[in-house]
Every structure is written in structure tokens, then in C-alpha cells.
Amino acid sequence: MRALLAEDDAILADALGTNLKSAGFEVEVADNGAVAEYLLTKQAFDVGIIDIGLPLVDGLTVVQRVRAVKPGLPLLILTALDGLHNRVAGLNAGADDYLTKPFDFPELEARIRAVLRRSQGAAAQPAAPAGTDAVSVGQLQFDRDARRTTIAGQPVELSPREWLLLDLLLSQRRKVITKEQIAQAWSTEVSESGGPSSLEVYIHRLRRKLEGSGVGIRTVRGLGYLLETQD
């Protein structure tokens, strides 16, 4: 496995590089964001490990630019910024995971291997037939054209609002979906006769229906909801 480590602290970069090599990774180190962006977009890597506070180009910008070019490349952010808005910004930029400093190397290694497993699992999903608008995440198969949802091949019955909610979460993966966005999506559909009015009720129902799919809905307090894969 080939890893790009973007870290401008030379002592930390050396320590992490040594540990990653001991764990079986081939490591390339970039000490600024411009070099990290160039290497990640121009060369073949299995994972990118990126500090936010990089010189020249900050880590969030690197993640955004790399994600636009290589949407399937696992990217993990390292940072001393541990506020909720920092974590949300990192995930919205396109990171697959977010680890705050200080940390122990075993946790970093475990998180790297987790994002690699998720990436490899997604790559192993069969490609959608030509002409269809289908999404595969974990065991979940979501076909917009056929308006069909399955988990491990078994059909899942969704109400119109549940279907729209899942469609929105899937189409905006790695981004927090606000309640306002959900309300706007629902406004395009006729209200469900006799259905509950509370968004939280639909979130609860959809979470239960997604059990066993490897996909979950995380509440980001004060902001909205985020679709995430589960190990």
C-alpha cells in the first residue's frame, strides 16, 4: 500500500513515516499543500493522510481539489482543530475520516485500514448497468430509475418521504444535509396521507430500515444529518 503523508512538522512526519513503514506502507512525505496536491493528483496512491495546517495550500483545499480529480481515493485528515465545525468542514471538503492530534499511532493505523476497507468494498460492488442511475454503498443498492432499494439483495419498502430523504443523503455523500434542504426536497412531493410531520420520526424509521446495510445516518447537532459507512 502506498501512502502520501502531508505534514509540515518534520519531527512528526518522520515519526509517522517510520511507523507507517513498519506497518507495511510505502510512504511519500510532502511538507506543504502544493506538493501534496501535485503528488496525489499526478501519482498513484492508495491513501492520503493530510494535515489541515499546511503551508502554501491548506489541507482542506488539498482535500477538495484531490477529491474533484480522484473521487475514490481514501483521504484522512490529521489536525489539532477538534471543534465540531472543524470536523464538519473536513468531512464536507471530502475527507473520509478525521483524526485530531494528539493521537496514538495504533488508532491512526486502524482508521487508515478502515477507510481502505470501505474504499475496496465500494470498488468491489458491481457496476450499474448502462443507462441506469444506481448507487451502491456497502450492502445498500439504490436505483433511482427503477425507484428500487435493496439491502444485500432484499427489497426495502420506503415511503415517498423516506425515499426522497435517502436519495438526498446518497446524492450528497460526505456532506451534511440540513433540515431546510430536506424540507425543500419534500416540498416537491405530495404530502403522505396520514404520515408523521416530524423529520426526526422519518430519520428514526430510515435508520431502522438501513440496519445491516453498512450505512448509517449520523446526527450532526445543530447542523443536520450525514450519511456514513459503518465498519
Side-chain angles (χ1 to χ4, degrees), residues 1-4 20 25 45-50 67 71-78 91 94-99 107-124 174 228-231:
M1 289 289 181
R2 191 161 185 248
L4 185 284
L20 286 167
F25 290 90
F45 288 93
D46 296 293
V47 63
I49 307 155
I50 304 167
R67 180 62 67 215
L73 178 65
L75 299 173
L76 187 149
I77 284 179
L78 298 180
L91 294 170
D96 296 284
D97 203 350
Y98 189 108
L99 182 59
E107 181 180 6
L108 173 61
E109 182 185 355
R111 286 176 179 264
I112 292 171
R113 297 197 185 281
V115 298
L116 285 169
R117 285 196 303 273
R118 291 197 291 268
S119 173
Q120 292 163 356
R174 303 188 183 92
E228 60 183 4
T229 54
Q230 302 167 333
D231 296 328

Side-chain angles (χ1 to χ4, degrees), residues 118 121-128 133-144 147-158 162-173 205-217 226-230:
R118 291 197 291 268
Q125 293 287 347
D133 188 8
V135 178
S136 298
V137 183
Q139 295 294 313
L140 175 68
Q141 301 276 336
F142 184 82
D143 191 329
R144 293 186 182 90
R147 210 173 177 90
R148 171 181 166 84
T149 306
T150 61
I151 294 177
Q154 299 300 310
V156 179
E157 294 298 326
L158 299 176
E162 290 167 350
W163 192 91
L164 282 170
L165 177 57
L166 182 57
D167 188 20
L168 183 61
L169 288 163
L170 284 167
S171 64
Q172 300 294 318
R173 290 198 300 282
R205 287 182 174 179
L206 188 55
R207 279 180 175 141
R208 292 188 63 181
K209 292 182 178 182
L210 292 176
E211 290 177 357
S213 68
V215 177
I217 303 171
L226 178 70
L227 194 75
E228 60 183 4
T229 54
Q230 302 167 333

